[in-house]
Amino acid sequence: MFVEFMHRLVPFVFLLLIVGCSARALYPLPSRRNDRNRQPLQTFRAYNIAHRGSNGEIPEETTASYLKAIEEGADFIETDILASKDGVLICFHDVVLDQTTDVANHTEFAIRKRTYEVQGTNITGFFPVDFTLRELKTLRVKQRYAFRDLQYNGKFSIITFEEFIKIALDAPRVVGIYPEIKNPVFINQRVKWPGGKKFEDVFVDTLKKHGYEGTYLSKQWMKQPAFIQSFAPTSLTYVSKLTNLPKIFLIDDTTIPTQDTNQSYWEITSDKYLEYIREYVVGIGPWKDTIIPASNNYMQTPTDLVARAHARNLQVHPYTFRNEYSFLHFNFSQDPYNEYAYWINEVGVDGLFTDFTGSLHHYQQWTSPLSVGEEDAYNLLDKIVAMITKFRQP
Protein backbone atom coordinates (compact mmCIF):
# COMPACT_ATOMS: atom_id res chain seq x y z
CA MET A 1 0.00 0.00 0.00
CA PHE A 2 2.84 2.39 0.94
CA VAL A 3 4.86 1.71 -2.26
CA GLU A 4 1.81 2.26 -4.43
CA PHE A 5 1.13 5.52 -2.62
CA MET A 6 4.70 6.77 -3.22
CA HIS A 7 4.36 6.06 -6.96
CA ARG A 8 1.30 8.29 -7.01
CA LEU A 9 3.03 10.88 -4.84
CA VAL A 10 5.72 11.93 -7.38
CA PRO A 11 3.45 13.69 -9.90
CA PHE A 12 1.54 15.28 -7.06
CA VAL A 13 4.76 16.77 -5.59
CA PHE A 14 5.64 18.14 -9.04
CA LEU A 15 2.23 19.79 -9.21
CA LEU A 16 2.78 21.32 -5.79
CA LEU A 17 6.07 22.82 -6.96
CA ILE A 18 4.31 24.46 -9.89
CA VAL A 19 1.62 25.80 -7.61
CA GLY A 20 4.21 27.16 -5.17
CA CYS A 21 6.13 28.96 -7.88
CA SER A 22 3.01 30.62 -9.19
CA ALA A 23 2.35 32.09 -5.71
CA ARG A 24 -1.08 30.48 -5.44
CA ALA A 25 -2.46 29.15 -2.18
CA LEU A 26 -1.40 25.55 -1.62
CA TYR A 27 -4.59 24.72 0.21
CA PRO A 28 -7.91 25.09 -1.64
CA LEU A 29 -10.63 27.27 -0.26
CA PRO A 30 -13.36 25.51 1.76
CA SER A 31 -15.71 23.38 -0.35
CA ARG A 32 -13.31 23.60 -3.31
CA ARG A 33 -11.01 20.74 -2.46
CA ASN A 34 -10.04 18.15 -5.05
CA ASP A 35 -11.45 14.89 -3.72
CA ARG A 36 -8.66 12.94 -5.38
CA ASN A 37 -6.20 14.51 -2.95
CA ARG A 38 -8.19 13.71 0.18
CA GLN A 39 -7.46 10.68 2.32
CA PRO A 40 -10.35 8.26 1.73
CA LEU A 41 -12.65 6.81 4.35
CA GLN A 42 -11.18 3.74 6.02
CA THR A 43 -13.35 0.63 5.69
CA PHE A 44 -11.07 -2.09 7.07
CA ARG A 45 -11.99 -1.68 10.75
CA ALA A 46 -14.98 -0.72 12.89
CA TYR A 47 -16.23 2.81 12.22
CA ASN A 48 -15.40 5.54 14.72
CA ILE A 49 -18.70 7.44 14.96
CA ALA A 50 -18.47 10.79 16.75
CA HIS A 51 -21.65 10.86 18.83
CA ARG A 52 -22.93 14.45 18.53
CA GLY A 53 -19.32 15.36 17.78
CA SER A 54 -16.58 15.06 20.37
CA ASN A 55 -19.11 15.94 23.03
CA GLY A 56 -17.12 14.44 25.87
CA GLU A 57 -14.90 17.51 25.54
CA ILE A 58 -17.00 20.24 23.92
CA PRO A 59 -20.79 20.87 24.13
CA GLU A 60 -22.68 18.56 21.79
CA GLU A 61 -23.97 19.29 18.30
CA THR A 62 -21.82 22.42 17.89
CA THR A 63 -19.39 23.41 15.15
CA ALA A 64 -16.49 23.17 17.60
CA SER A 65 -17.53 19.70 18.73
CA TYR A 66 -17.65 18.39 15.16
CA LEU A 67 -14.36 20.03 14.18
CA LYS A 68 -12.73 18.49 17.25
CA ALA A 69 -14.07 15.06 16.31
CA ILE A 70 -12.65 15.38 12.80
CA GLU A 71 -9.30 16.48 14.21
CA GLU A 72 -9.31 13.48 16.53
CA GLY A 73 -9.89 10.96 13.73
CA ALA A 74 -13.63 10.34 13.47
CA ASP A 75 -14.79 8.36 10.45
CA PHE A 76 -18.32 9.75 10.77
CA ILE A 77 -19.76 12.73 12.59
CA GLU A 78 -23.20 11.97 13.99
CA THR A 79 -26.04 14.41 14.52
CA ASP A 80 -29.72 14.55 15.46
CA ILE A 81 -32.02 16.49 13.16
CA LEU A 82 -35.02 18.47 14.37
CA ALA A 83 -36.80 21.47 12.84
CA SER A 84 -37.43 25.08 13.79
CA LYS A 85 -40.82 26.78 13.69
CA ASP A 86 -40.04 28.15 10.23
CA GLY A 87 -39.09 24.72 8.89
CA VAL A 88 -35.28 24.93 8.97
CA LEU A 89 -33.56 21.67 9.87
CA ILE A 90 -31.29 22.04 12.89
CA CYS A 91 -28.80 19.85 14.74
CA PHE A 92 -30.18 19.24 18.22
CA HIS A 93 -30.80 16.14 20.30
CA ASP A 94 -33.51 16.88 22.85
CA VAL A 95 -37.08 17.66 21.93
CA VAL A 96 -36.79 20.58 24.39
CA LEU A 97 -34.08 23.22 24.69
CA ASP A 98 -33.91 23.29 28.48
CA GLN A 99 -31.04 20.97 29.36
CA THR A 100 -28.36 21.95 26.84
CA THR A 101 -28.99 25.67 26.10
CA ASP A 102 -29.31 28.90 28.08
CA VAL A 103 -32.93 29.41 27.02
CA ALA A 104 -34.00 29.85 30.65
CA ASN A 105 -31.85 32.99 30.83
CA HIS A 106 -33.70 34.63 27.94
CA THR A 107 -36.58 36.44 29.60
CA GLU A 108 -37.92 37.43 26.19
CA PHE A 109 -38.79 33.77 25.60
CA ALA A 110 -40.38 33.05 28.99
CA ILE A 111 -43.87 32.84 27.49
CA ARG A 112 -42.75 30.14 25.04
CA LYS A 113 -42.81 27.31 27.59
CA ARG A 114 -45.30 24.65 26.50
CA THR A 115 -46.51 21.17 27.35
CA TYR A 116 -46.79 18.72 24.45
CA GLU A 117 -47.35 15.01 24.19
CA VAL A 118 -44.29 13.30 22.77
CA GLN A 119 -44.38 9.53 22.28
CA GLY A 120 -47.26 9.17 24.69
CA THR A 121 -45.68 11.29 27.45
CA ASN A 122 -46.46 14.89 28.38
CA ILE A 123 -43.29 16.98 28.33
CA THR A 124 -43.03 20.58 29.50
CA GLY A 125 -40.29 22.93 28.33
CA PHE A 126 -39.08 25.16 25.54
CA PHE A 127 -39.50 23.34 22.24
CA PRO A 128 -37.40 24.18 19.14
CA VAL A 129 -40.56 23.90 17.03
CA ASP A 130 -41.84 27.06 18.75
CA PHE A 131 -38.78 29.13 17.78
CA THR A 132 -37.66 30.49 14.42
CA LEU A 133 -34.12 29.78 13.32
CA ARG A 134 -33.20 33.41 13.99
CA GLU A 135 -34.41 33.06 17.57
CA LEU A 136 -32.65 29.74 18.07
CA LYS A 137 -29.40 31.30 16.91
CA THR A 138 -29.53 33.73 19.86
CA LEU A 139 -29.27 30.81 22.30
CA ARG A 140 -25.97 29.37 23.46
CA VAL A 141 -25.25 25.69 24.01
CA LYS A 142 -23.93 24.22 27.25
CA GLN A 143 -22.45 20.91 28.34
CA ARG A 144 -25.02 18.24 29.18
CA TYR A 145 -23.13 16.73 32.11
CA ALA A 146 -21.86 18.82 35.03
CA PHE A 147 -18.88 16.49 35.54
CA ARG A 148 -17.49 17.33 32.09
CA ASP A 149 -15.47 20.39 31.05
CA LEU A 150 -17.73 23.42 31.47
CA GLN A 151 -15.37 26.10 30.15
CA TYR A 152 -17.07 26.13 26.74
CA ASN A 153 -20.57 26.76 28.06
CA GLY A 154 -22.16 29.74 26.33
CA LYS A 155 -19.56 29.97 23.56
CA PHE A 156 -21.34 28.20 20.70
CA SER A 157 -24.69 28.40 18.96
CA ILE A 158 -27.11 25.86 17.53
CA ILE A 159 -26.22 24.99 13.93
CA THR A 160 -28.33 24.00 10.94
CA PHE A 161 -28.22 20.69 9.09
CA GLU A 162 -26.63 22.46 6.13
CA GLU A 163 -23.94 23.99 8.31
CA PHE A 164 -23.23 20.52 9.69
CA ILE A 165 -22.89 19.11 6.16
CA LYS A 166 -20.47 21.89 5.24
CA ILE A 167 -18.24 20.92 8.17
CA ALA A 168 -17.93 17.39 6.79
CA LEU A 169 -17.41 18.49 3.19
CA ASP A 170 -14.71 20.97 4.21
CA ALA A 171 -12.72 18.39 6.19
CA PRO A 172 -9.14 17.76 5.03
CA ARG A 173 -10.00 14.09 4.45
CA VAL A 174 -13.18 12.22 3.61
CA VAL A 175 -15.43 12.32 6.68
CA GLY A 176 -18.86 10.72 6.60
CA ILE A 177 -22.07 12.07 8.13
CA TYR A 178 -24.52 10.09 10.23
CA PRO A 179 -27.73 12.15 10.67
CA GLU A 180 -30.75 10.92 12.63
CA ILE A 181 -34.35 11.62 11.70
CA LYS A 182 -35.32 12.65 15.24
CA ASN A 183 -38.86 12.41 16.62
CA PRO A 184 -40.46 12.44 13.14
CA VAL A 185 -44.03 11.91 14.38
CA PHE A 186 -43.84 14.93 16.68
CA ILE A 187 -42.07 17.12 14.10
CA ASN A 188 -44.62 16.31 11.40
CA GLN A 189 -47.40 17.23 13.83
CA ARG A 190 -45.92 20.61 14.71
CA VAL A 191 -44.06 21.84 11.61
CA LYS A 192 -45.54 22.23 8.14
CA TRP A 193 -43.69 22.66 4.86
CA PRO A 194 -44.99 23.95 1.51
CA GLY A 195 -46.45 21.52 -0.98
CA GLY A 196 -47.45 19.03 1.66
CA LYS A 197 -43.87 17.86 2.21
CA LYS A 198 -42.99 15.91 5.33
CA PHE A 199 -40.01 16.15 7.64
CA GLU A 200 -38.49 13.13 5.90
CA ASP A 201 -38.88 14.75 2.44
CA VAL A 202 -37.04 17.90 3.51
CA PHE A 203 -34.37 15.80 5.22
CA VAL A 204 -33.65 13.79 2.05
CA ASP A 205 -33.89 16.89 -0.17
CA THR A 206 -31.12 18.47 1.90
CA LEU A 207 -28.87 15.44 1.49
CA LYS A 208 -29.45 15.36 -2.27
CA LYS A 209 -28.82 19.09 -2.57
CA HIS A 210 -25.31 18.52 -1.25
CA GLY A 211 -24.54 15.46 -3.35
CA TYR A 212 -25.20 12.66 -0.88
CA GLU A 213 -26.40 9.57 -2.70
CA GLY A 214 -25.39 6.03 -3.56
CA THR A 215 -25.59 2.59 -2.05
CA TYR A 216 -23.21 1.44 0.67
CA LEU A 217 -19.57 1.32 -0.55
CA SER A 218 -20.51 2.52 -4.05
CA LYS A 219 -18.15 4.99 -5.74
CA GLN A 220 -20.47 7.90 -5.04
CA TRP A 221 -20.98 6.83 -1.42
CA MET A 222 -17.24 6.54 -0.81
CA LYS A 223 -16.84 10.09 -2.10
CA GLN A 224 -19.44 11.43 0.35
CA PRO A 225 -20.29 8.72 2.89
CA ALA A 226 -23.53 8.91 4.84
CA PHE A 227 -25.72 6.68 6.99
CA ILE A 228 -29.32 7.69 7.72
CA GLN A 229 -30.54 6.59 11.14
CA SER A 230 -33.83 6.60 13.02
CA PHE A 231 -35.69 4.94 15.87
CA ALA A 232 -38.86 5.18 13.74
CA PRO A 233 -39.18 2.23 11.34
CA THR A 234 -41.87 3.89 9.22
CA SER A 235 -39.54 6.83 8.58
CA LEU A 236 -36.83 4.47 7.40
CA THR A 237 -39.15 2.60 5.07
CA TYR A 238 -40.50 5.92 3.76
CA VAL A 239 -37.07 7.42 3.01
CA SER A 240 -36.08 4.16 1.32
CA LYS A 241 -38.35 5.27 -1.51
CA LEU A 242 -36.55 8.62 -1.70
CA THR A 243 -32.87 7.69 -1.52
CA ASN A 244 -30.62 4.65 -1.83
CA LEU A 245 -28.27 5.85 0.91
CA PRO A 246 -27.67 3.16 3.58
CA LYS A 247 -29.91 3.29 6.62
CA ILE A 248 -29.51 2.15 10.24
CA PHE A 249 -32.44 1.12 12.44
CA LEU A 250 -31.84 2.41 15.97
CA ILE A 251 -33.00 0.24 18.85
CA ASP A 252 -33.75 1.64 22.30
CA ASP A 253 -33.91 0.16 25.80
CA THR A 254 -35.98 -3.00 26.21
CA THR A 255 -38.69 -1.04 28.06
CA ILE A 256 -39.22 1.56 25.32
CA PRO A 257 -41.44 0.82 22.30
CA THR A 258 -40.73 2.17 18.81
CA GLN A 259 -41.59 5.83 18.25
CA ASP A 260 -44.18 5.36 15.55
CA THR A 261 -45.40 1.75 15.50
CA ASN A 262 -45.43 1.09 19.26
CA GLN A 263 -43.65 -2.23 18.81
CA SER A 264 -41.76 -3.83 21.68
CA TYR A 265 -38.03 -4.42 21.78
CA TRP A 266 -38.60 -8.16 21.63
CA GLU A 267 -40.65 -7.85 18.46
CA ILE A 268 -38.21 -5.63 16.58
CA THR A 269 -35.23 -7.83 17.46
CA SER A 270 -36.94 -11.10 16.53
CA ASP A 271 -35.66 -13.12 13.57
CA LYS A 272 -38.88 -12.39 11.71
CA TYR A 273 -38.52 -8.62 12.09
CA LEU A 274 -34.83 -8.61 11.25
CA GLU A 275 -35.72 -10.43 8.02
CA TYR A 276 -38.28 -7.74 7.28
CA ILE A 277 -36.20 -4.67 8.13
CA ARG A 278 -33.11 -5.88 6.26
CA GLU A 279 -34.93 -5.03 3.05
CA TYR A 280 -34.71 -1.36 4.04
CA VAL A 281 -31.58 -1.01 6.18
CA VAL A 282 -27.94 -2.11 6.14
CA GLY A 283 -27.67 -2.38 9.90
CA ILE A 284 -28.98 -1.80 13.38
CA GLY A 285 -27.86 0.59 16.11
CA PRO A 286 -28.81 -0.88 19.50
CA TRP A 287 -28.10 0.54 22.93
CA LYS A 288 -25.11 -1.53 24.05
CA ASP A 289 -26.81 -2.68 27.27
CA THR A 290 -29.48 -4.42 25.24
CA ILE A 291 -26.80 -6.46 23.48
CA ILE A 292 -25.15 -7.36 26.78
CA PRO A 293 -27.43 -6.68 29.77
CA ALA A 294 -25.90 -5.23 32.94
CA SER A 295 -26.70 -5.68 36.61
CA ASN A 296 -25.07 -3.75 39.47
CA ASN A 297 -22.76 -2.26 36.82
CA TYR A 298 -21.48 -5.69 35.76
CA MET A 299 -22.18 -7.11 32.33
CA GLN A 300 -24.22 -10.29 32.28
CA THR A 301 -24.51 -13.06 29.68
CA PRO A 302 -24.36 -11.60 26.14
CA THR A 303 -27.39 -12.01 23.91
CA ASP A 304 -27.14 -13.42 20.40
CA LEU A 305 -28.38 -10.21 18.75
CA VAL A 306 -25.07 -9.42 17.03
CA ALA A 307 -24.74 -12.97 15.68
CA ARG A 308 -28.32 -12.97 14.39
CA ALA A 309 -27.85 -9.57 12.75
CA HIS A 310 -24.59 -10.62 11.10
CA ALA A 311 -26.24 -13.81 9.84
CA ARG A 312 -28.55 -11.51 7.88
CA ASN A 313 -25.67 -9.35 6.63
CA LEU A 314 -26.71 -6.49 8.91
CA GLN A 315 -24.06 -4.29 10.47
CA VAL A 316 -24.21 -3.52 14.20
CA HIS A 317 -23.31 -0.03 15.47
CA PRO A 318 -24.02 0.10 19.24
CA TYR A 319 -24.25 3.27 21.34
CA THR A 320 -22.95 5.02 23.46
CA PHE A 321 -19.33 4.56 24.56
CA ARG A 322 -18.14 7.04 27.20
CA ASN A 323 -14.86 7.25 29.10
CA GLU A 324 -16.17 8.33 32.50
CA TYR A 325 -16.23 5.84 35.34
CA SER A 326 -19.97 6.25 35.83
CA PHE A 327 -20.55 4.85 32.32
CA LEU A 328 -17.93 2.07 32.32
CA HIS A 329 -18.98 -1.34 33.58
CA PHE A 330 -16.76 -2.76 36.31
CA ASN A 331 -15.74 -5.59 33.97
CA PHE A 332 -13.34 -3.21 32.24
CA SER A 333 -11.43 -2.04 35.37
CA GLN A 334 -12.46 1.54 34.61
CA ASP A 335 -10.41 1.44 31.39
CA PRO A 336 -12.19 2.58 28.19
CA TYR A 337 -9.53 0.89 26.05
CA ASN A 338 -10.46 -2.46 27.59
CA GLU A 339 -14.07 -1.75 26.69
CA TYR A 340 -13.20 -0.92 23.07
CA ALA A 341 -11.09 -4.07 22.82
CA TYR A 342 -13.91 -6.23 24.10
CA TRP A 343 -16.62 -4.84 21.82
CA ILE A 344 -14.46 -4.81 18.71
CA ASN A 345 -12.57 -8.08 19.15
CA GLU A 346 -14.96 -10.23 21.19
CA VAL A 347 -18.43 -8.99 20.28
CA GLY A 348 -17.38 -8.07 16.73
CA VAL A 349 -19.34 -4.87 16.17
CA ASP A 350 -18.96 -2.89 12.95
CA GLY A 351 -18.99 0.64 14.35
CA LEU A 352 -19.17 2.40 17.71
CA PHE A 353 -20.92 5.62 18.74
CA THR A 354 -18.54 7.35 21.15
CA ASP A 355 -18.47 10.64 23.03
CA PHE A 356 -14.66 10.46 23.03
CA THR A 357 -13.57 10.15 19.42
CA GLY A 358 -9.90 10.62 20.20
CA SER A 359 -9.79 7.69 22.61
CA LEU A 360 -11.30 5.27 20.11
CA HIS A 361 -9.02 6.55 17.35
CA HIS A 362 -5.91 6.10 19.49
CA TYR A 363 -6.96 2.59 20.45
CA GLN A 364 -7.49 1.60 16.82
CA GLN A 365 -4.26 3.20 15.65
CA TRP A 366 -2.28 1.36 18.30
CA THR A 367 -3.90 -1.99 17.60
CA SER A 368 -4.36 -1.98 13.82
CA PRO A 369 -1.26 -2.95 11.81
CA LEU A 370 -2.98 -1.90 8.58
CA SER A 371 -3.07 1.72 9.61
CA VAL A 372 0.66 2.24 10.21
CA GLY A 373 1.94 2.49 6.62
CA GLU A 374 -0.98 4.62 5.52
CA GLU A 375 -0.51 7.02 8.42
CA ASP A 376 3.23 7.35 7.72
CA ALA A 377 2.57 8.06 4.06
CA TYR A 378 0.16 10.88 4.73
CA ASN A 379 2.42 12.34 7.42
CA LEU A 380 5.17 12.43 4.81
CA LEU A 381 2.86 14.23 2.38
CA ASP A 382 2.04 16.84 5.02
CA LYS A 383 5.75 17.47 5.58
CA ILE A 384 6.39 17.90 1.85
CA VAL A 385 3.54 20.40 1.56
CA ALA A 386 4.92 22.34 4.55
CA MET A 387 8.41 22.43 3.02
CA ILE A 388 7.16 23.74 -0.32
CA THR A 389 5.08 26.37 1.44
CA LYS A 390 8.24 27.93 2.86
CA PHE A 391 9.59 28.54 -0.64
CA ARG A 392 6.42 30.03 -2.05
CA GLN A 393 6.97 33.44 -3.57
CA PRO A 394 5.31 36.38 -1.74
Side-chain angles (χ1 to χ4, degrees):
M1 177 187 297
F2 182 76
V3 173
E4 180 183 354
F5 176 83
M6 292 305 296
H7 280 305
R8 297 199 304 266
L9 180 62
V10 175
F12 180 63
V13 171
F14 179 72
L15 176 61
L16 287 177
L17 287 169
I18 296 174
V19 171
C21 294
S22 64
R24 289 188 176 184
L26 281 171
Y27 297 100
L29 295 173
S31 300
R32 296 182 183 179
R33 300 180 186 276
N34 187 335
D35 286 341
R36 290 176 297 179
N37 299 332
R38 300 170 77 200
Q39 183 178 348
L41 177 74
Q42 68 80 22
T43 57
F44 62 87
R45 64 189 182 196
Y47 291 128
N48 183 338
I49 306 163
H51 183 239
R52 308 176 206 167
S54 185
N55 83 89
E57 302 172 80
I58 298 175
E60 64 186 45
E61 315 264 26
T62 60
T63 296
S65 182
Y66 291 121
L67 290 174
K68 184 68 171 177
I70 292 171
E71 176 189 330
E72 292 179 335
D75 298 315
F76 288 84
I77 51 175
E78 187 263 355
T79 188
D80 306 276
I81 305 301
L82 292 172
S84 65
K85 181 179 181 180
D86 47 346
V88 180
L89 301 190
I90 62 168
C91 298
F92 202 78
H93 178 269
D94 296 357
V95 74
V96 291
L97 299 162
D98 303 53
Q99 188 173 359
T100 58
T101 77
D102 63 353
V103 66
N105 298 333
H106 289 254
T107 56
E108 70 273 24
F109 297 140
I111 62 173
R112 300 288 181 89
K113 183 172 283 191
R114 301 281 190 275
T115 298
Y116 292 134
E117 181 181 314
V118 184
Q119 292 178 236
T121 301
N122 285 335
I123 297 177
T124 299
F126 296 94
F127 291 77
V129 294
D130 291 326
F131 292 74
T132 65
L133 176 64
R134 184 175 181 178
E135 291 170 332
L136 290 172
K137 284 288 189 179
T138 67
L139 306 179
R140 290 297 175 264
V141 180
K142 61 183 180 180
Q143 180 58 257
R144 177 177 296 274
Y145 297 111
F147 50 78
R148 289 182 173 172
D149 190 349
L150 305 181
Q151 68 171 310
Y152 300 108
N153 284 0
K155 296 184 181 298
F156 310 115
S157 64
I158 293 172
I159 64 173
T160 67
F161 189 18
E162 293 202 81
E163 289 170 332
F164 166 82
I165 288 173
K166 186 176 183 296
I167 293 170
L169 293 180
D170 288 347
R173 55 187 172 80
V174 175
V175 174
I177 62 172
Y178 209 126
E180 177 184 343
I181 304 172
K182 194 77 177 179
N183 297 105
V185 174
F186 176 76
I187 295 298
N188 280 318
Q189 289 171 342
R190 297 293 169 182
V191 183
K192 302 302 177 184
W193 286 273
K197 285 195 172 184
K198 298 169 54 177
F199 178 28
E200 293 88 343
D201 296 314
V202 180
F203 176 90
V204 173
D205 286 347
T206 304
L207 290 170
K208 289 182 176 180
K209 174 183 175 181
H210 294 279
Y212 286 93
E213 59 182 349
T215 56
Y216 181 61
L217 295 183
S218 66
K219 182 178 180 180
Q220 178 61 31
W221 188 87
M222 288 296 296
K223 182 180 178 182
Q224 293 183 208
F227 285 107
I228 295 173
Q229 57 172 333
S230 183
F231 284 99
T234 55
S235 277
L236 292 173
T237 56
Y238 180 81
V239 299
S240 293
K241 302 173 184 177
L242 306 177
T243 177
N244 59 358
L245 285 169
K247 300 151 197 78
I248 300 291
F249 178 39
L250 299 176
I251 299 174
D252 215 322
D253 178 33
T254 57
T255 62
I256 300 176
T258 54
Q259 290 185 1
D260 49 353
T261 57
N262 202 37
Q263 293 171 282
S264 72
Y265 171 85
W266 309 109
E267 181 179 351
I268 62 174
T269 58
S270 66
D271 287 342
K272 181 179 179 180
Y273 197 80
L274 291 179
E275 286 290 343
Y276 161 75
I277 201 66
R278 70 190 290 255
E279 298 298 319
Y280 302 96
V281 304
V282 300
I284 57 175
W287 181 38
K288 63 180 182 178
D289 280 7
T290 66
I291 298 175
I292 305 178
S295 178
N296 297 320
N297 207 30
Y298 280 98
M299 294 192 308
Q300 304 301 299
T301 304
T303 69
D304 63 352
L305 179 58
V306 173
R308 291 190 295 110
H310 282 169
R312 290 161 177 81
N313 202 32
L314 290 170
Q315 295 189 38
V316 182
H317 300 173
Y319 65 92
T320 302
F321 291 82
R322 299 180 169 109
N323 287 9
E324 291 98 350
Y325 292 168
S326 57
F327 295 117
L328 279 167
H329 296 312
F330 292 145
N331 309 69
F332 303 116
S333 304
Q334 305 294 279
D335 186 343
Y337 294 103
N338 285 342
E339 184 179 36
Y340 290 139
Y342 178 79
W343 281 89
I344 292 172
N345 300 321
E346 302 298 324
V347 183
V349 297
D350 309 287
L352 302 90
F353 289 84
T354 176
D355 285 2
F356 293 89
T357 314
S359 295
L360 177 54
H361 181 70
H362 288 318
Y363 167 78
Q364 293 198 291
Q365 290 296 96
W366 295 335
T367 58
S368 175
L370 291 178
S371 65
V372 177
E374 180 179 321
E375 188 77 11
D376 289 344
Y378 281 99
N379 285 340
L380 175 60
L381 178 59
D382 288 340
K383 291 179 181 178
I384 293 172
V385 171
M387 290 171 58
I388 295 174
T389 303
K390 294 180 181 179
F391 294 100
R392 189 175 61 185
Q393 296 178 2

